[in-house]
Amino acid sequence: MNKSAIYNTLIEVIDKESILQNVDMGQFTSFKAGGYADFLISPSNNNELAGTLKILKEQNCEYFLMGNGSNFLVRDGGYRGAIVRIGKNFDKISVEGDILTAGSGTLLSSIAKEAMENSLTGFEFAGGIPGSLGGAVVMNAGAYDGEIKNVLIHVNAMDKEGVIHKLNDRELKLGYRHSIFQENGWIVLEATLQLSHGDKDKIKEKMLKFNKLRNEKQPLNYPSGGSFFKRPEGYFAGKLVQDAKLKGLSLGGAQVSELHSGFIINKGGATATDIINLMVIVQNTVWDKFGVMLEPEVRIIGER
Ligand SMILES: Cc1cc2nc3c(=O)[nH]c(=O)nc-3n(C[C@H](O)[C@H](O)[C@H](O)COP(=O)(O)OP(=O)(O)OC[C@H]3O[C@@H](n4cnc5c(N)ncnc54)[C@H](O)[C@@H]3O)c2cc1C
C-alpha cells in the first residue's frame, strides 16, 4: 500500500481537511483506547463517498466504516487501511406525518428528540444509545421495549461500487444485532422510520424513565462499548459473567464493570490489548463453567 499515492488521489475527490493520517482511534471510539489508523476519511456527501470507495479499491486499500464509534475497537497494532467515517455531514432529519427520515450519521439521541418534538412515539427506546442511525441499522440496535427492526421501513445504501440501492424491511434481514449490511458491507446512507402519533408529555416521560434506568444500571462514567457480548440464546451475558464470579475483575486498565457485568470498561489507561485479553478470560471462564461461548458484540479490527 502506497500511502502517498492514496492521499494524492483522494485529494482529487475530497477536501484535504476531511482526510486525516496516522490517527489515534482511541480519540474517536467510546472505549477511549486502541491503536492508530493509517487514514480517517470523512466524506461530506454521496459523491465524495463514492469517489473515496473507488480510489480505495483502485489503490488496494482496505477500509472499515464507522459511525459514532460506540461499538468498535482498534487493536493496539493499528489498522492498515482507511476508516471511513459517516458522521455529521450525513445528519439531515425530515418528518412527514408519522414518517421520519434521517441521514445515517444522525445521532440516535437527536432523532429521539426530533420525534418527541413532533409528538411521534416509537423511538424512545433508542434515545440513550450513543450511536449513529447507520450503526444502529447495521447492528439492529435495541433496548428496553424496542429495536430498530420494529420501526424501519426502508434504507438507502451504497454498494461497494458506489451504486445506491433502496432496500425494504424484508430485504434488510434484521435479526438480533444483525442486518444484511454485516454480510454485504454496503454503506447505510439514510433510513426511513415509521413512528406513530402520540402524546408529547408521555413520550418525554418515557425517554426520561429510560435514561434514569441507564444511569442507574450502566457504568456510564467510564468509557466502554456498551454491552460487550451478544446475548447467547437462552441466557443473559451479564448474568453468566456475574455467576462466573468475574464481576470487578481487572486486567491492566480494563475491568469487568462492578455495576453491570456485561460491560468491559476502561477504568483508566486501558489499552485495546487489556480489553481484548480480559474479554478472552471472560469467554474462557464462562465456557469452562457453563459451556456457553460468549460472542463479542463489539467489532474488533486491526493488527495485534
Ligand atoms: C454506554 C453504551 C451503551 C450502549 N447501549 C446500547 C443499547 O442499549 N443497545 C444497543 O443495541 N447498543 C448499545 N450500545 C452499542 C452501540 O451504541 C450501538 O451498537 C450503536 O448502534 C452503534 O452505532 P455507532 O454509530 O456508534 O457505530 P460504530 O461503532 O461506529 O460501528 C458499529 C458497526 O456498524 C458499522 N457502521 C457504522 N455506520 C455505518 C454505516 N453508515 N453504514 C454501514 N455500516 C456502518 C461499522 O462498520 C461497525 O461494524 C451501547 C454503547 C455504549 C458505549
Side-chain angles (χ1 to χ4, degrees), residues 30-31 64-72 86 104-105 107-108 125 128-144 177 181-182 185-189 214 218-220 222-227 263 297 299:
S30 60
F31 270 111
F64 181 82
L65 288 163
M66 85 174 263
N68 203 39
S70 65
N71 216 21
F72 89 96
I86 309 295
S104 56
L107 292 178
L108 298 172
F125 75 92
I129 303 177
S132 67
L133 181 59
V137 169
V138 172
M139 302 301 293
N140 184 25
Y144 305 112
R177 300 295 174 266
F181 303 109
Q182 291 176 25
W186 293 5
I187 304 175
V188 177
L189 301 172
R214 258 181 208 279
Q218 298 185 358
L220 301 182
Y222 292 100
S224 78
S227 294
F263 278 55
E297 180 181 313
R299 294 287 309 275

Side-chain angles (χ1 to χ4, degrees), residues 5 18 28 33 36 48 71 82 93 100 119 128 138 145 166 169 181 231 283 300 304:
S18 308
F28 292 89
Y36 283 64
E48 286 191 4
N71 216 21
I93 308 183
L100 185 152
S119 301
V138 172
D145 63 348
K166 183 172 175 178
D169 55 348
F181 303 109
R231 193 176 62 225
Q283 284 175 314
I300 301 170
R304 277 163 222 283

Side-chain angles (χ1 to χ4, degrees), residues 24-43:
D24 174 1
M25 289 308 296
Q27 291 185 17
F28 292 89
T29 55
S30 60
F31 270 111
K32 299 285 168 250
Y36 283 64
D38 289 338
F39 293 98
L40 176 65
I41 307 171
S42 306

Side-chain angles (χ1 to χ4, degrees), residues 3-284:
K3 286 206 239 173
S4 55
I6 295 171
Y7 181 76
N8 289 331
T9 39
L10 276 173
I11 56 174
E12 287 170 16
V13 299
I14 187 167
D15 264 2
K16 279 185 181 162
E17 292 73 45
S18 308
I19 310 166
L20 302 180
Q21 294 193 70
N22 206 21
V23 183
D24 174 1
M25 289 308 296
Q27 291 185 17
F28 292 89
T29 55
S30 60
F31 270 111
K32 299 285 168 250
Y36 283 64
D38 289 338
F39 293 98
L40 176 65
I41 307 171
S42 306
S44 299
N45 54 48
N46 292 350
N47 281 344
E48 286 191 4
L49 179 60
T52 300
L53 293 186
K54 187 163 175 276
I55 288 166
L56 295 177
K57 188 176 178 193
E58 282 165 4
Q59 296 287 337
N60 251 328
C61 178
E62 266 195 40
Y63 68 88
F64 181 82
L65 288 163
M66 85 174 263
N68 203 39
S70 65
N71 216 21
F72 89 96
L73 181 64
V74 179
R75 290 193 185 88
D76 294 319
Y79 183 71
R80 302 286 77 77
I83 308 270
V84 179
R85 189 180 194 201
I86 309 295
K88 59 179 177 357
N89 295 321
F90 291 78
D91 72 346
K92 303 270 171 308
I93 308 183
S94 66
V95 177
E96 257 186 75
D98 54 6
I99 292 186
L100 185 152
T101 298
S104 56
T106 318
L107 292 178
L108 298 172
S109 53
S110 309
I111 297 174
K113 191 158 173 272
E114 186 72 19
M116 187 211 22
E117 295 297 348
N118 285 277
S119 301
L120 293 175
T121 181
F123 207 72
E124 296 90 332
F125 75 92
I129 303 177
S132 67
L133 181 59
V137 169
V138 172
M139 302 301 293
N140 184 25
Y144 305 112
D145 63 348
E147 59 179 346
I148 292 291
K149 181 177 189 250
N150 300 345
V151 289
L152 204 53
I153 316 177
H154 56 76
V155 170
N156 288 343
M158 187 180 283
D159 69 19
K160 291 180 174 173
E161 311 303 320
V163 180
I164 297 176
H165 304 259
K166 183 172 175 178
L167 289 93
N168 65 35
D169 55 348
R170 284 183 312 283
E171 293 168 310
L172 294 169
K173 289 203 198 164
L174 294 162
Y176 175 67
R177 300 295 174 266
H178 182 82
S179 71
I180 184 84
F181 303 109
Q182 291 176 25
E183 297 167 24
N184 63 17
W186 293 5
I187 304 175
V188 177
L189 301 172
E190 188 179 83
T192 300
L193 312 174
Q194 175 71 67
L195 304 174
S196 315
H197 291 292
D199 179 278
K200 191 170 170 178
D201 290 335
K202 285 198 179 132
I203 295 167
K204 192 172 181 182
E205 205 177 295
K206 195 169 179 186
M207 281 169 63
L208 288 172
K209 186 181 96 186
F210 287 159
N211 279 346
K212 187 166 175 281
L213 280 175
R214 258 181 208 279
N215 277 312
E216 282 166 9
K217 303 226 179 303
Q218 298 185 358
L220 301 182
N221 296 338
Y222 292 100
S224 78
S227 294
F228 199 96
F229 300 102
K230 290 184 183 173
R231 193 176 62 225
E233 234 180 294
Y235 299 91
F236 287 102
K239 172 97 173 51
L240 288 170
V241 178
Q242 185 170 330
D243 292 350
K245 310 259 180 297
L246 295 167
K247 196 178 219 183
L249 181 72
S250 293
L251 186 73
Q255 188 188 49
V256 175
S257 164
E258 286 171 348
L259 188 61
H260 186 318
S261 313
F263 278 55
I264 293 182
I265 57 173
N266 180 352
K267 207 81 206 268
T271 60
T273 309
D274 292 340
I275 295 167
I276 293 165
N277 287 347
L278 186 57
M279 167 192 88
V280 172
I281 293 174
V282 170
Q283 284 175 314
N284 290 343

